[in-house]
Amino acid sequence: MECTYCASNLAGYDPVFVEETAADGSRVGAGGFCNYACLAAHIEDTALTDGDTCAWSPDADGE
Ligand SMILES: [Zn+2]
C-alpha cells in the first residue's frame, strides 16, 4: 500500500489510516499515510477542513 499523499511505500513507516463514512454510516473513502505529517499536508492540500466545525464549539458564531 502507498501513502495517499506522497505515494511512498507504507511498509517502511508506522502508517496512519483514515476512514471516512457518510451520515448513514456507509463507507465513502479511506486513505493511508506515512505519518501525521503526511495526513496533515493532505488535509491542507485538499482543503478537507474548510467549512468544518464542531457543533459544540463555543466560538461558533455563524460566520
Ligand atoms: Zn507520505
Side-chain angles (χ1 to χ4, degrees), residues 3 6 34 38:
C3 176
C6 72
C34 302
C38 272

Side-chain angles (χ1 to χ4, degrees), residues 1-2 5 7 10-11 13-14 16 21 24 26 29 32 35-36 41 43-44 52 56-57 59 63:
M1 187 169 182
E2 294 178 342
Y5 179 69
L10 294 181
Y13 296 89
D14 186 14
V16 178
T21 54
D24 64 2
S26 64
N35 49 46
Y36 286 108
I43 288 171
E44 284 212 357
D52 280 354
W56 59 262
S57 174
D59 297 320
E63 276 182 15

